[in-house]
Amino acid sequence: MTDALLPAAPQPLEKETDGYFRKGCNPLAQTGRSKLQNQRAALNQQILKAVRMRTGAENLLKAATNHKVREQVRLELSFVNSDLQVLKEELEGLNISVGVYQSTEEAFTIPLIPLGLKETKDVDFSVILKDFILEHYSEDSYLYEDEIADLMDLRQACRTPSRDEAGVELLMSYFIQLGFVESRFFPPTRQMGIMFTWYDSLTGVPVSQQNLLLEKASVLFNIGALYTQIGTRCNRQTQAGLESAMEALQRAAGVLNYLKETFTHTPSYDMSPAMLSVLVKMMLAQAQESVFEKISLPGIQNEFFMLVKVAQEAAKVGEVYQQLHAAMSQAPVKQNVPYSWARLACVKAHYYGALAHYFVATLLIDHQLKPGADEDHQEKCMSQLYNRMPEGLTPLATLKNVHQRRLLGKSHLLKAIVHHEESVREASLCTKLRNIEVLQKVLSAAQQRSRLKQSQHQEEDDLLNLIDAPDIVSKTEQEVEILPPEFSKVTVTDFFHKLGPLSVFSSSKRWTPPRSIHFTTEEGDLGFTLRGNAPVQVHCLDPHCSAALAGAKEGDYIVSVQDTDCKWLTVSEVMKLLKSFDENGIQMKVVSILDSSSSMHSKCATYSVGMQKTYSMICLAIEDDDKTDKAKKITKKLSFLSWGTNKNRQKSASTMCLPSVGVGRPNLKKKLPSPFSLLNTDSSLY
């Protein structure tokens, strides 16, 4: 009745390492997927080179005045664009690669579409973080070399995650760790000078930005991509494998949807809101397809109610793929979605639509309403099968009239054949799909099955008597849904917890350098009390006590007592520590919180290699030394990429911060050219 689903024992996805590498990472595993990622990395480098050549040619074309030179540059530019198109098609071929991402089992099923992981360049945190620890936290930065090395090792491990839950947990732990790093070392008032570079998963175009949020967004994308690879890798010939595939694909949709809602100004094609919406639809459509396969796995019995159920399930899958194909055909994602993805979505929409009509044709042709049958139940199912019955027909009359049943069944059969022919034609239009052998076999077998049934019941006057088969109402017993990421299940320890509680010791707050306070007690009385959680504060300070005379102030945070770090100690623990040294005097270090209203102004400009119009925002915030000039107004600019907010909706690429020079600038009468007038309007990011 439908494509055979041969049961087979599931195989382990990837072997775990012997513990030499971090759990969830195995960079030495020479699997097909790791080789594929290496090919993607090589293609990314070639694309980067071609983009730079195109940029140079476009700049030369603008500057050249000689006619012959311009003609030569145009010729070279056409060659470069052709090379870029070829490289893009090769990258698309890797994205649709069946032999690498699909299950290793021999299955007679249409393959699913996975997402490739984003590639990145190495990042050295050591120098920047050490300088910031010394400057901002007034601590010996060499004491944190191991923590910085752990952070860099974790990032390196996340470039080659294993395709299982351990790999997902590894990526999630790095994402959460980045939250700690952002709070510790990335103040909102200035850039840190660390350049992050990530390659677009779909186009291979690199995006560079001095903003940790690009790193966080890219790691989130890779979590979603890894879930898609886990889902497509599951053995879809077993009940457990199909359930695992459904869950993984729904979780992929949840991560990508979280990325879309949280990071609203992503500077990369694959992470733009429009593209992420399409990817979420694609994951949910594939999860719905797995629901149909799970229902069909035990076998489809030639029974009236069973055929009604699977027909509506198939119609549901066809409907979601039709919606997906429509979304892929809309601007601006149409130019960036791989052509093979759009064709496969169209093929599946026609294929499952054909299956729905085939099952309805079977229940109408092969079954008759016999005496003693449940007429009411069958009539109800028949009425729910269509939004409207064909003109002149009613559900009960059609069930009782053998001739009407056969005519309506043949109409559905003819429509099924039309959909099958369209699916085969769509698959033949794409070179990548033509090379997927299992896809061609599935489409051919389904088409032959429908034609065989038509030949068994065909009559000479069918073309004159057949009516137009109505559309089948889609219905499912298990509606797929977006499953949000469960970050709370991953336990992560802040690498830099020795710096102190984040509520006080963060990059957004400023305080005085640690002051040494040497004081004595009078009959066990410290002259002050303590309050607050870690770190504790000096409270109710007696202005005439020894501590106050030594320089302690109301509200000071106690960071150490007698060289014992107490940033994380509670009130009772610090009090016990203070009273244990009251015989020969007490030595403690305190810090005072400063007003954080003053900030460093900076110049921020967007940057993306080879894409001129990605310079979408330039913010200049320079404080004038001349306070008497009342005519000047400095408008507070929103920082580039207001991630997760509904404001500042301008499209942007990447951010590079150039610290402004604190030198007074003379008033210039000559108007400077706008930076946007220098940009090429022929190539835009979105």
Side-chain angles (χ1 to χ4, degrees):
M1 298 304 299
T2 185
D3 298 332
L5 298 172
L6 304 177
Q11 295 182 357
L13 302 180
E14 293 178 0
K15 295 182 179 179
E16 294 185 358
T17 60
D18 55 1
Y20 181 78
F21 297 107
R22 188 183 295 269
K23 183 180 179 182
C25 168
N26 188 6
L28 298 184
Q30 292 301 314
T31 60
R33 185 173 63 93
S34 64
K35 294 177 182 178
L36 181 60
Q37 288 299 114
N38 292 335
Q39 295 177 29
R40 291 173 61 87
L43 275 177
N44 288 334
Q45 294 298 326
Q46 296 180 44
I47 291 174
L48 173 60
K49 181 179 178 181
V51 167
R52 286 175 173 172
M53 292 179 62
R54 184 179 68 178
T55 303
E58 290 174 345
N59 292 335
L60 181 58
L61 185 63
K62 293 178 183 179
T65 57
N66 186 280
H67 179 71
K68 291 184 177 180
V69 173
R70 290 177 63 87
E71 289 297 325
Q72 184 66 27
V73 172
R74 287 193 181 97
L75 181 61
E76 294 294 334
L77 192 58
S78 65
F79 289 152
V80 173
N81 287 331
S82 299
D83 291 341
L84 273 174
Q85 184 63 30
V86 171
L87 292 173
K88 182 179 178 181
E89 291 177 357
E90 291 183 17
L91 187 61
E92 177 185 337
L94 296 182
N95 288 333
I96 199 65
S97 179
V98 178
V100 175
Y101 285 119
Q102 304 299 321
S103 172
T104 56
E105 305 292 339
E106 294 184 3
F108 198 65
T109 54
I110 299 180
L112 301 176
I113 301 176
L115 293 177
L117 300 179
K118 292 173 70 71
E119 297 288 341
T120 183
K121 290 184 177 180
D122 292 333
V123 174
D124 186 4
F125 290 100
S126 56
V127 176
I128 301 296
L129 297 193
K130 282 183 179 180
D131 290 346
F132 193 81
I133 290 173
L134 181 61
E135 168 200 343
H136 190 76
Y137 293 97
S138 302
E139 293 198 24
D140 187 357
S141 59
Y142 289 97
L143 298 176
Y144 293 88
E145 287 185 341
D146 291 342
E147 286 79 1
I148 297 174
D150 288 341
L151 176 64
M152 296 176 64
D153 289 343
L154 178 59
R155 186 183 192 273
Q156 184 65 25
C158 287
R159 299 177 67 176
T160 54
S162 58
R163 201 174 349 169
D164 50 24
E165 287 298 328
V168 173
E169 185 175 344
L170 176 70
L171 291 175
M172 284 190 173
S173 63
Y174 180 57
F175 176 77
I176 298 173
Q177 193 67 238
L178 286 176
F180 292 127
V181 172
E182 182 180 18
S183 300
R184 297 282 190 191
F185 302 105
F186 287 80
T189 56
R190 61 170 174 145
Q191 301 292 338
M192 288 298 295
I194 301 177
M195 183 70 75
F196 299 98
T197 301
W198 286 85
Y199 292 89
D200 192 294
S201 176
L202 303 179
T203 65
V205 176
V207 174
S208 299
Q209 178 179 309
Q210 290 189 32
N211 195 326
L212 190 68
L213 295 176
L214 173 63
E215 180 91 349
K216 296 175 69 176
S218 299
V219 173
L220 264 183
F221 184 91
N222 277 358
I223 294 174
L226 191 58
Y227 268 127
T228 67
Q229 295 180 15
I230 293 174
T232 56
R233 190 70 171 175
C234 291
N235 181 10
R236 291 154 61 198
Q237 300 181 65
T238 64
Q239 198 80 5
L242 285 169
E243 291 178 355
S244 299
M246 289 164 49
E247 181 181 2
L249 292 170
Q250 290 177 93
R251 294 207 176 278
V255 173
L256 296 175
N257 188 67
Y258 177 81
L259 172 59
K260 182 189 71 171
E261 294 179 349
T262 308
F263 302 91
T264 57
H265 290 77
T266 46
S268 181
Y269 286 122
D270 54 357
M271 296 191 296
S272 64
M275 180 62 72
L276 289 174
S277 297
V278 170
L279 295 180
V280 169
K281 289 179 181 292
M282 185 170 71
M283 297 308 128
L284 293 179
Q286 295 185 134
Q288 195 66 55
E289 183 180 2
S290 299
V291 172
F292 173 80
E293 291 179 347
K294 187 178 74 168
I295 295 174
S296 306
L297 185 62
I300 300 177
Q301 303 297 326
N302 194 350
E303 190 267 332
F304 184 89
F305 299 111
M306 181 64 179
L307 291 174
V308 171
K309 177 181 177 181
V310 294
Q312 292 187 309
E313 288 283 355
K316 179 66 176 179
V317 180
E319 180 183 66
V320 294
Y321 271 113
Q322 187 176 9
Q323 295 171 355
L324 173 62
H325 179 258
M328 287 181 171
S329 304
Q330 300 294 323
V333 299
K334 182 180 180 180
Q335 302 300 324
N336 303 310
V337 170
Y339 179 71
S340 54
W341 289 10
R343 289 302 96 203
L344 186 57
C346 185
V347 166
K348 289 188 176 185
H350 286 294
Y351 171 75
Y352 284 102
L355 285 185
H357 285 285
Y358 175 79
F359 292 136
V360 174
T362 302
L363 72 88
L364 290 173
I365 295 175
D366 293 356
H367 295 273
Q368 297 181 7
L369 189 60
K370 299 179 181 180
D374 191 350
E375 293 184 7
D376 294 338
H377 193 187
Q378 289 196 19
E379 181 185 7
K380 182 180 179 181
C381 290
M382 190 72 177
S383 62
Q384 294 177 351
L385 199 58
Y386 308 116
N387 282 326
R388 61 175 181 81
M389 289 289 294
E391 186 177 354
L393 299 181
T394 60
L396 186 58
T398 304
L399 289 173
K400 292 182 177 180
N401 191 316
V402 177
H403 180 67
Q404 287 185 357
R405 287 181 63 139
R406 292 178 64 86
L407 284 180
L408 185 57
K410 290 178 183 180
S411 301
H412 280 288
L413 198 56
L414 181 61
K415 204 162 188 177
I417 293 175
V418 171
H419 278 294
H420 279 308
E421 291 176 348
E422 189 65 19
S423 66
V424 172
R425 188 187 70 83
E426 289 286 346
S428 65
L429 295 177
C430 179
T431 305
K432 306 299 181 184
L433 298 185
R434 287 201 302 267
N435 295 332
I436 302 178
E437 185 178 353
V438 65
L439 174 62
Q440 300 299 326
K441 288 182 178 180
V442 170
L443 298 180
S444 178
Q447 185 181 28
Q448 292 177 9
R449 183 182 56 213
S450 296
R451 286 180 174 175
L452 177 61
K453 193 163 192 67
Q454 184 191 39
S455 64
Q456 293 173 351
H457 301 278
Q458 190 173 14
E459 297 178 1
E460 294 182 357
D461 58 345
D462 279 349
L463 294 178
L464 300 176
N465 297 329
L466 291 182
I467 58 178
D468 185 22
D471 293 333
I472 301 168
V473 175
S474 62
K475 186 179 178 181
T476 179
E477 68 175 17
Q478 184 176 352
E479 193 80 37
V480 297
E481 59 183 356
I482 295 176
L483 298 180
E486 298 178 335
F487 296 114
S488 59
K489 290 188 176 181
V490 181
T491 303
V492 178
T493 302
D494 181 9
F495 284 155
F496 301 93
H497 70 280
K498 290 193 302 183
L499 291 173
L502 269 173
S503 59
V504 176
F505 300 99
S506 66
S507 60
S508 61
K509 295 186 177 182
R510 299 172 60 246
W511 51 87
T512 61
R515 307 191 310 275
S516 294
I517 307 296
H518 184 80
F519 66 99
T520 57
T521 61
E522 298 179 2
E523 298 180 357
D525 183 15
L526 296 173
F528 59 88
T529 59
L530 303 177
R531 70 172 180 179
N533 297 321
V536 299
Q537 291 180 272
V538 175
H539 185 54
C540 296
L541 178 66
D542 183 356
H544 303 292
C545 70
S546 175
L549 297 177
K553 300 178 182 178
E554 179 77 16
D556 280 350
Y557 289 94
I558 301 176
V559 295
S560 68
V561 175
Q562 299 291 119
D563 295 329
T564 300
D565 190 287
C566 56
K567 297 190 190 78
W568 287 97
L569 299 184
T570 62
V571 170
S572 59
E573 292 171 335
V574 174
M575 185 63 71
K576 181 179 179 181
L577 191 62
L578 288 171
K579 292 186 176 181
S580 64
F581 297 107
D582 59 357
E583 295 180 358
N584 301 320
I586 303 173
Q587 184 81 20
M588 73 176 182
K589 289 185 178 181
V590 298
V591 296
S592 302
I593 293 293
L594 298 177
D595 182 14
S596 59
S597 60
S598 60
S599 61
M600 179 188 296
H601 293 292
S602 61
K603 301 178 182 179
C604 298
T606 62
Y607 172 71
S608 183
V609 176
M611 304 177 71
Q612 294 84 355
K613 199 178 178 182
T614 54
Y615 293 84
S616 58
M617 182 193 300
I618 297 181
C619 302
L620 301 178
I622 305 176
E623 186 175 357
D624 230 344
D625 293 331
D626 187 5
K627 300 298 181 179
T628 61
D629 189 359
K630 302 297 183 179
K632 286 190 177 182
K633 295 182 180 179
I634 298 179
T635 304
K636 184 178 179 181
K637 298 290 185 179
L638 291 174
S639 61
F640 176 73
L641 289 183
S642 296
W643 306 74
T645 65
N646 292 325
K647 299 180 180 179
N648 191 26
R649 291 283 184 178
Q650 300 183 25
K651 302 295 181 183
S652 308
S654 53
T655 301
M656 181 169 57
C657 179
L658 307 173
S660 58
V661 181
V663 180
R665 300 173 60 187
N667 294 329
L668 298 179
K669 295 183 178 180
K670 183 179 179 181
K671 184 178 180 181
L672 296 177
S674 169
F676 296 100
S677 63
L678 304 177
L679 304 181
N680 181 8
T681 58
D682 295 333
S683 59
S684 59
L685 181 61
Y686 292 99

